[in-house]
Amino acid sequence: MNESLKSLLICLATLAATLTIIVTAFYIVIRRKTSKKRKQVEGYGRESEQRVDTLLKKEFGESAVMTGIYLPYINLDYEKHAEIDHVVINRSGVFVIEVKSHNGFIKNPNEHDWWQTYNDKKIRFYNPLRQNNTHVKIIQNILKSKGQYNVPLYNVVVFTSNRVTFSHAYDNLVKTNELVGYIKRVGKKNALSTQQTARVRSILASFAKSDASVARKHKNAMRKFNNK
């Protein structure tokens, strides 16, 4: 091999190695930024859920509120859990509450997706009323599996930001300062006996999981779903 060809091959190998390093470094930077942003968003969500948790427990009592639980899809032939932000169980029934911390203008038709417009950015997200309706059905199936029928179940979505507006109004779409009033207003008074209320709480507590392994599996599954 003559010297000029050898020099050319060395230059090409060096260039390829340099490009590999640059691409790898770029990938690492992007991954770190994405991870940081995701943790920031998840942090906002946890903060919002904690505020709602405090509000609900103050109004309805510690024993009436379940927060951050994972309940199984019992009708599936494989293991899958849904994360449910809050459940309030009292004599009026079971209130299944999904918490969102989005800001800005929300275009929210009765369709699969909603759109958030904030700081000139448009972000699509799954309709939380439909998302939470799945949670309601999960709880209904669990209760029925234990012979507990005719329990009033309520789908409630609460947005915690004061800087959010909607294109469409729904009775069960509320802001934080409207949540307690909504629960008191729509609940069927004394729909359940004291014994039935206690049994509903016991059934859900027996199915609920909150350990870290279930939480990790659920979050990883949701990230894969959102990245599709």
Side-chain angles (χ1 to χ4, degrees):
M1 184 183 295
N2 60 47
E3 290 299 319
S4 59
L5 181 58
K6 182 185 286 188
S7 298
L8 177 61
L9 291 175
I10 291 172
C11 287
L12 289 173
T14 303
L15 179 60
T18 303
L19 287 173
T20 301
I21 293 170
I22 291 171
V23 170
T24 303
F26 181 75
Y27 174 76
I28 291 171
V29 169
I30 294 298
R31 281 291 300 270
R32 285 179 177 174
K33 284 185 176 180
T34 302
S35 177
K36 184 179 179 181
K37 183 66 176 177
R38 184 177 65 240
K39 288 178 180 178
Q40 187 179 34
V41 170
E42 290 175 355
Y44 291 149
R46 284 193 296 271
E47 203 174 289
S48 298
E49 289 167 17
Q50 286 169 1
R51 288 201 302 272
V52 172
D53 178 63
T54 300
L55 174 69
L56 293 173
K57 287 179 177 176
K58 181 180 178 181
E59 187 63 38
F60 300 105
E62 294 267 348
S63 63
V65 181
M66 303 176 75
T67 296
I69 60 171
Y70 294 84
L71 291 175
Y73 291 73
I74 63 170
N75 290 341
L76 297 180
D77 57 1
Y78 61 94
E79 186 178 353
K80 182 181 179 183
H81 290 77
E83 180 183 17
I84 300 178
D85 293 336
H86 306 281
V87 181
V88 174
I89 308 164
N90 58 29
R91 294 192 61 188
S92 295
V94 178
F95 297 83
V96 187
I97 301 168
E98 176 72 17
V99 179
K100 295 297 180 185
S101 56
H102 297 66
N103 292 315
F105 175 72
I106 308 293
K107 186 177 180 182
N108 59 324
N110 184 21
E111 296 176 2
H112 183 275
D113 292 321
W114 288 4
W115 291 88
Q116 173 193 17
T117 302
Y118 184 69
N119 288 342
D120 298 323
K121 293 181 180 179
K122 286 190 72 175
I123 301 170
R124 183 176 65 181
F125 62 104
Y126 182 44
N127 182 338
L129 289 171
R130 294 192 179 191
Q131 174 189 0
N132 204 42
N133 191 53
T134 300
H135 299 163
V136 170
K137 289 179 179 177
I138 288 170
I139 289 177
Q140 185 179 55
N141 289 335
I142 287 173
L143 294 177
K144 284 182 177 180
S145 75
K146 294 298 181 179
Q148 191 68 53
Y149 297 93
N150 301 319
V151 176
L153 292 152
Y154 303 92
N155 174 358
V156 190
V157 173
V158 55
F159 278 71
T160 58
S161 173
N162 292 323
R163 297 173 294 168
V164 66
T165 57
F166 305 98
S167 64
H168 295 71
Y170 304 101
D171 188 45
N172 57 340
L173 174 65
V174 299
K175 293 185 180 180
T176 307
N177 63 337
E178 302 168 323
L179 178 59
V180 169
Y182 174 82
I183 292 173
K184 291 182 175 180
R185 185 177 75 253
V186 304
K188 298 177 182 177
K189 191 174 181 180
N190 298 332
L192 301 174
S193 68
T194 302
Q195 292 78 9
Q196 286 173 321
T197 305
R199 186 163 189 268
V200 168
R201 290 174 183 166
S202 177
I203 291 170
L204 294 184
S206 70
F207 278 86
K209 293 186 178 181
S210 57
D211 59 277
S213 62
V214 175
R216 280 196 302 271
K217 285 180 183 178
H218 175 79
K219 284 182 169 56
N220 288 336
M222 289 306 298
R223 283 169 189 161
K224 288 179 182 177
F225 174 80
N226 291 330
N227 289 331
K228 285 182 179 179

Short mmCIF file of all heavy atoms in Angstrom, two decimals, residues 20-30:
data_model
loop_
_atom_site.label_atom_id
_atom_site.label_comp_id
_atom_site.label_asym_id
_atom_site.label_seq_id
_atom_site.Cartn_x
_atom_site.Cartn_y
_atom_site.Cartn_z
N THR A 20 -18.38 9.75 15.16
CA THR A 20 -19.02 8.87 16.15
C THR A 20 -19.06 9.53 17.52
O THR A 20 -20.08 9.49 18.22
CB THR A 20 -18.27 7.53 16.24
OG1 THR A 20 -18.27 6.89 14.97
CG2 THR A 20 -18.90 6.62 17.27
N ILE A 21 -17.95 10.16 17.90
CA ILE A 21 -17.88 10.85 19.19
C ILE A 21 -18.88 12.01 19.24
O ILE A 21 -19.59 12.20 20.23
CB ILE A 21 -16.45 11.36 19.45
CG1 ILE A 21 -15.50 10.17 19.65
CG2 ILE A 21 -16.42 12.29 20.66
CD1 ILE A 21 -14.03 10.56 19.68
N ILE A 22 -18.96 12.78 18.15
CA ILE A 22 -19.88 13.92 18.09
C ILE A 22 -21.34 13.46 18.20
O ILE A 22 -22.13 14.02 18.95
CB ILE A 22 -19.66 14.73 16.79
CG1 ILE A 22 -18.30 15.43 16.83
CG2 ILE A 22 -20.77 15.76 16.60
CD1 ILE A 22 -17.90 16.07 15.51
N VAL A 23 -21.67 12.43 17.42
CA VAL A 23 -23.05 11.91 17.44
C VAL A 23 -23.41 11.37 18.82
O VAL A 23 -24.50 11.61 19.34
CB VAL A 23 -23.23 10.82 16.37
CG1 VAL A 23 -24.58 10.11 16.55
CG2 VAL A 23 -23.15 11.42 14.97
N THR A 24 -22.47 10.62 19.43
CA THR A 24 -22.71 10.07 20.77
C THR A 24 -22.91 11.18 21.79
O THR A 24 -23.82 11.11 22.64
CB THR A 24 -21.53 9.17 21.20
OG1 THR A 24 -21.35 8.13 20.23
CG2 THR A 24 -21.79 8.56 22.57
N ALA A 25 -22.06 12.20 21.72
CA ALA A 25 -22.17 13.32 22.66
C ALA A 25 -23.51 14.05 22.48
O ALA A 25 -24.17 14.43 23.46
CB ALA A 25 -21.01 14.29 22.45
N PHE A 26 -23.90 14.24 21.22
CA PHE A 26 -25.18 14.91 20.93
C PHE A 26 -26.35 14.09 21.49
O PHE A 26 -27.27 14.65 22.08
CB PHE A 26 -25.33 15.07 19.42
CG PHE A 26 -26.59 15.76 19.00
CD1 PHE A 26 -26.75 17.14 19.15
CD2 PHE A 26 -27.64 15.03 18.44
CE1 PHE A 26 -27.91 17.76 18.77
CE2 PHE A 26 -28.81 15.65 18.05
CZ PHE A 26 -28.95 17.02 18.21
N TYR A 27 -26.29 12.78 21.31
CA TYR A 27 -27.34 11.89 21.79
C TYR A 27 -27.45 11.97 23.32
O TYR A 27 -28.55 12.05 23.88
CB TYR A 27 -27.04 10.46 21.36
CG TYR A 27 -27.99 9.43 21.92
CD1 TYR A 27 -29.28 9.29 21.40
CD2 TYR A 27 -27.60 8.60 22.97
CE1 TYR A 27 -30.15 8.33 21.91
CE2 TYR A 27 -28.47 7.66 23.49
CZ TYR A 27 -29.74 7.52 22.96
OH TYR A 27 -30.59 6.59 23.48
N ILE A 28 -26.30 11.99 23.99
CA ILE A 28 -26.28 12.06 25.46
C ILE A 28 -26.89 13.37 25.95
O ILE A 28 -27.68 13.40 26.89
CB ILE A 28 -24.85 11.90 26.00
CG1 ILE A 28 -24.35 10.46 25.76
CG2 ILE A 28 -24.78 12.24 27.48
CD1 ILE A 28 -22.88 10.26 26.06
N VAL A 29 -26.53 14.47 25.28
CA VAL A 29 -27.06 15.79 25.66
C VAL A 29 -28.58 15.81 25.49
O VAL A 29 -29.31 16.28 26.38
CB VAL A 29 -26.41 16.91 24.82
CG1 VAL A 29 -27.16 18.23 25.02
CG2 VAL A 29 -24.95 17.07 25.20
N ILE A 30 -29.07 15.30 24.36
CA ILE A 30 -30.52 15.27 24.10
C ILE A 30 -31.23 14.42 25.15
O ILE A 30 -32.29 14.80 25.67
CB ILE A 30 -30.82 14.75 22.68
CG1 ILE A 30 -30.29 15.74 21.63
CG2 ILE A 30 -32.31 14.53 22.50
CD1 ILE A 30 -30.93 17.11 21.68
#
